[in-house]
Amino acid sequence: MNRPTVNLVRAELHRLLARRFTQVVFVLMLAAFGITFATTVASTHTPTRAELVAAEQAADLQREYLRTAIVQCEERRAEALRTGNARFAEDCRSLDPNRVRLEDFLDGVFVFGESAGDLVYFLAAFLALFGLLVGASYVGAELTSGGMTNLLLWRPRREVVLGTKLGTLLGTVGAISVASIVAYVGGFWLLAEAAGLPGNLDAQFWTQLGLLCLRAWLLALVFTTLGFCLATLGRHTAAALGVFAAYLVLWEIGARIVLNVIRWPRAETLMFSNYVGAWLAKRITVYDLCALDGCAPYQLTLWHAAGVFAVLLALIAGAAFVSFRRRDMS
Amino acid sequence: MAAVIEISGLRKTYRSMRRGVRLALDGFDMAVEAGEVHGFLGPNGSGKTTTLRTLLGLVRPDAGQLVLFGREVPTALPQMIDRVGAIVESPQFFANFSGRRTLRLLATTGGLPDARVDEVLEQVGLRDRADDRVKAYSLGMKQRLAVASALLKAPELLILDEPANGLDPAGIREMRDLMRGLADSGVTVLVSSHILAEIELICDAVTIISRGRRVVAGPVADVLSRFDKGEFRVRVFDHVRAAGIIAESGLPVTVHDDHFVVGDLADPAWITETLAAHQLWVAELTPLTPDLESVFLQLTGTVPEPGKRHQVDDSVLPPAPRRPDADENELTVTAAEPEVTP
Ligand SMILES: Nc1ncnc2c1ncn2[C@@H]1O[C@H](COP(=O)(O)OP(=O)(O)OP(=O)(O)O)[C@@H](O)[C@H]1O
Ligand SMILES: [Mg+2]
């Protein structure tokens, strides 16, 4: 990066971090994490010897039961397949006795390996919301306050100014997200070690968790960019938040009902929320209302989500930059 | 002298969905020479701010040519911008930052040392209030901060859109000295203002705009002398008889309550001499040179009349300029020349 760009980034970073709104949203996010953590701390304890022994026995009993149940299940399944009733063939994998774990029989014990995924979903939602709010307000406030106009009197290349702002914003939100993820996941892991059970933390677990955290991080950046670009297009923080709220109410709720009433095929593919879900969960199965009439449920994967995100970002960011380049500033 | 700003044939229409189209600039021309203080005058809504915004690349013109330091803008604006300091229509600053922090951020953006911030704060008289938040500033203090932001770059061209807005008498005076001082050190100043007495005091040249077109441009003295009809006010004991004597020579004379005015007079000594010959002793003989205010009101057709309320777009619409333009350096009066009554 050359010197003028560095100067611009420094000034932008200063502006972003000095914004009261950024600080408030950040503190609120920390508070949400704090509350989650505190309630978990309050509801977990290190299992005593007696509890462990009892749980071990309960687990053994369960395994015993499943070993017989699975044999019977396999027999019924073979029978169904033989008589051509494939539709009624049971899936016996859920009866696998190897899936019974000690942790399932412990009450009031936080098991990191079991809960980490759900906790990261929660984290992802907060980071995305944080990015959306900060991204929208950062550029929105500059546009309405005249700060942008002042800046353009120093740096007339608008695409450079807007690009630097977006870059600085993404860098900052990205860094805060990384720090949050590390602190959050690390915090719960330490909690499990100290007052709970770590669970089964093999290499596969850590890989999956790492990838999930990576996706949560990228999701936060997607929402940050969306907030920033929508506020740029609408010239106002409220424009971005308004579009977002209107989208949720009118489309995700209103249009979903209408589309279901008119039996629109694959209506769920039109809902952005499904892609957010698919992105985090890697794969989700969705059902249209017509499923009752025999339509098959279908799956949305993280690759569908990646495609939708890419197209949406390209469109909205492209529109924001073109509009900002051409508009009259007052 | 080389022109620092040359604008020709500038057109700008604002389009909005609700209010339709509004023609803000309609073939506007302007030239500002290096090292001068150039006044930019016009009634409300005549297009001054729009012109300055276009020059600074904030607004896209529909047509016309803008040249800054000999290079076409907005294309070459990024290379020119370091040489131009500007305030456009009371700039808004971030209310939660202090004045010093506001300027430091701009200095960082422009790669200027922090010491420069203290210099300009001192220069505009905000040194002792520099660490207060902008939202705790008075109108005039905000305006001073704006001026400071324009001075920060130590620009070769300073563009000030109504800098005196909200300033106290001392502030206006300091503003005047500041502009004069900068001009003396070689800075070109383009200043729009409605305080015409002020403009008359400090400007070397003026451009008057009305409804998006140029009405008049040129050195202040030329503009004024153009409307100087050689009138003198004469006070004398029996002023009615005296007026009669002067009128006999064929000069235009208007008699007032306690004095009379004579026009087309080349040499005022002639009055004293003629009246003395009739034993009439002149008590006062004052040249009635028009001031910028009366010239402005006449040229823009905004002279207040009793019982009539002027609306903002009622000013004179000058005839569309001829293209290509004639001699740029000559005093240009585009309007039909109206009568000036001082
Ligand atoms: N953003 C805008 N949208 C629509 N019309 C505008 C806009 N800005 C200015 N105008 C119109 O353009 C014309 C010129 O406005 P401008 O602000 O250039 O006037 P001005 O000479 O600076 O007036 P003042 O002395 O009041 O500051 C006015 O009729 C105004 O209503
Ligand atoms: Mg104006």
Side-chain angles (χ1 to χ4, degrees), chain A residues 12 135 138 160-172 221 224-226 228-229 317 321:
Chain A
E12 287 307 325
Y138 172 48
V160 172
V161 167
L162 197 66
T164 310
K165 272 189 191 296
L166 179 57
T168 311
L169 172 72
L170 288 177
T172 309
L221 296 188
T224 308
T225 312
L226 285 179
F228 180 90
C229 292
F321 273 81

Side-chain angles (χ1 to χ4, degrees), chain B residues 58-107:
Chain B
L58 297 175
V59 157
R60 291 161 70 89
D62 300 333
Q65 216 191 12
L66 297 146
V67 177
L68 203 59
F69 296 112
R71 305 264 314 261
E72 189 132 358
V73 291
T75 326
L77 194 61
Q79 286 92 59
M80 297 296 133
I81 201 75
D82 286 347
R83 304 163 70 181
V84 185
I87 59 173
V88 183
E89 207 159 72
S90 307
Q92 302 296 307
F93 294 108
F94 207 61
N96 269 330
F97 284 2
S98 69
R100 191 192 306 279
R101 196 175 192 186
T102 305
L103 295 181
R104 282 223 169 134
L105 272 182
L106 287 176

Side-chain angles (χ1 to χ4, degrees), chain A residues 2-296:
Chain A
N2 57 349
R3 182 118 202 97
T5 316
V6 173
N7 287 335
L8 194 54
V9 170
R10 272 176 57 207
E12 287 307 325
L13 195 60
H14 195 108
R15 276 197 188 90
L16 175 61
L17 296 180
R19 285 192 49 75
R20 187 62 57 80
F21 189 84
T22 311
Q23 296 164 351
V24 168
V25 176
F26 181 65
V27 168
L28 287 178
M29 186 174 73
L30 288 188
F33 295 161
I35 291 172
T36 328
F37 194 75
T39 47
T40 315
V41 169
S43 60
T44 183
H45 67 282
T46 317
T48 58
R49 271 248 58 86
E51 278 179 307
L52 283 174
V53 170
E56 197 58 70
Q57 285 169 353
D60 282 344
L61 267 174
Q62 178 74 0
R63 288 195 193 98
E64 203 64 41
Y65 161 73
L66 285 179
R67 267 194 280 277
T68 42
I70 199 166
V71 172
Q72 290 164 2
C73 177
E74 295 288 4
E75 280 169 5
R76 281 199 302 277
R77 181 179 160 82
E79 176 71 23
L81 289 175
R82 201 171 48 238
T83 55
N85 266 335
R87 273 185 73 185
F88 299 111
E90 288 174 64
D91 182 359
C92 300
R93 279 172 293 175
S94 62
L95 298 174
D96 183 0
N98 295 327
R99 288 167 67 166
V100 172
R101 273 174 302 181
L102 169 73
E103 297 94 87
D104 302 338
F105 299 91
L106 283 169
D107 223 20
V109 175
F110 171 67
V111 185
F112 180 73
E114 307 253 289
S115 312
D118 291 343
L119 287 170
V120 173
Y121 282 4
F122 175 82
L123 174 74
F126 268 91
L127 289 177
L129 186 64
F130 173 74
L132 181 79
L133 291 176
V134 168
S137 85
Y138 172 48
V139 71
E142 295 261 312
L143 286 172
T144 42
S145 73
M148 186 69 95
T149 309
N150 288 336
L151 188 55
L152 290 177
L153 293 178
W154 289 73
R155 293 299 183 92
R157 284 193 216 276
R158 297 194 184 176
E159 63 283 359
V160 172
V161 167
L162 197 66
T164 310
K165 272 189 191 296
L166 179 57
T168 311
L169 172 72
L170 288 177
T172 309
V173 172
I176 290 179
S177 299
V178 167
S180 304
I181 292 171
V182 169
Y184 185 87
V185 173
F188 278 107
W189 180 55
L190 289 178
L191 175 64
E193 293 283 354
L197 284 179
N200 185 19
L201 308 183
D202 52 13
Q204 199 207 341
F205 166 84
W206 285 116
T207 315
Q208 290 305 319
L209 189 67
L211 287 174
L212 178 61
C213 288
L214 178 65
R215 292 198 301 275
W217 184 75
L218 288 172
L219 188 72
L221 296 188
V222 167
F223 272 79
T224 308
T225 312
L226 285 179
F228 180 90
C229 292
L230 286 174
T232 305
L233 271 175
R235 305 170 185 227
H236 218 288
T237 311
L241 306 185
V243 162
F244 201 73
Y247 170 79
L248 285 183
V249 173
L250 295 180
W251 190 256
E252 291 273 345
I253 300 176
R256 185 178 251 136
I257 293 173
V258 172
L259 291 175
N260 277 334
V261 167
I262 62 172
R263 302 280 148 105
W264 186 272
R266 305 220 150 189
E268 291 300 318
T269 54
L270 302 175
M271 301 294 154
F272 186 66
S273 58
N274 286 334
Y275 295 101
V276 174
W279 175 251
L280 288 177
K282 289 203 289 191
R283 182 183 297 274
I284 59 168
T285 307
V286 289
Y287 308 85
D288 287 330
L289 204 61
C290 75
L292 298 177
D293 301 343
C295 303

Side-chain angles (χ1 to χ4, degrees), chain B residues 14 19 22 24 42-50 89 162 194 313:
Chain B
Y14 286 109
R19 285 156 300 164
R22 170 162 293 282
N44 288 141
S46 53
K48 301 181 295 297
T49 302
T50 304
E89 207 159 72
E162 300 189 31
H194 295 297
D313 284 333

